[in-house]
Amino acid sequence: MVKRSPLDNRDTSQVAWARYRRLMKGMALVSFGAVLLALGWLRYTMGDALTIHMIIATAAGVGLSVLLGAALMGLVFLSSGSGHDEAIEDPFEDDPDMNRDR
């Protein structure tokens, strides 16, 4: 039988997702700062050779990379912090070949 996840509980779920949204709001600010730093450095090193296309590409690349990393790590923290990871069934629990490392 499948174990119930703590995220199935409405109260636990609301707290976990609120924490995730707060993390993502903070990381959006960090992402914006990273974009500003990257564009500032490019402007300093390239001067007038910095084109609008490079500005757009840098902003999208740096900003979205930081946000994607934050989103994925945030989901890992959400899963671990809410107890969702412990609710899985391990199909290899009784397999002697898989338990050598333990």
Side-chain angles (χ1 to χ4, degrees), residues 76-97:
V76 169
F77 295 146
L78 175 107
S79 177
S80 177
S82 66
H84 184 71
D85 290 349
E86 285 77 32
I88 64 151
E89 288 185 31
D90 186 4
F92 302 109
E93 188 173 45
D94 298 327
D95 188 356
D97 292 333

Side-chain angles (χ1 to χ4, degrees), residues 13-46:
S13 176
Q14 285 179 343
V15 169
W17 285 107
R19 191 171 60 191
Y20 179 76
R21 282 189 296 274
R22 189 173 60 243
L23 170 82
M24 288 306 296
K25 287 176 186 175
M27 288 308 294
L29 293 174
V30 170
S31 176
F32 183 71
V35 168
L36 290 179
L37 284 172
L39 290 175
W41 182 78
L42 283 175
R43 177 70 176 165
Y44 176 73
T45 58
M46 295 181 69

Side-chain angles (χ1 to χ4, degrees), residues 47-59:
D48 291 334
L50 185 62
T51 64
I52 187 67
H53 299 96
M54 185 170 288
I55 292 171
I56 293 169
T58 300

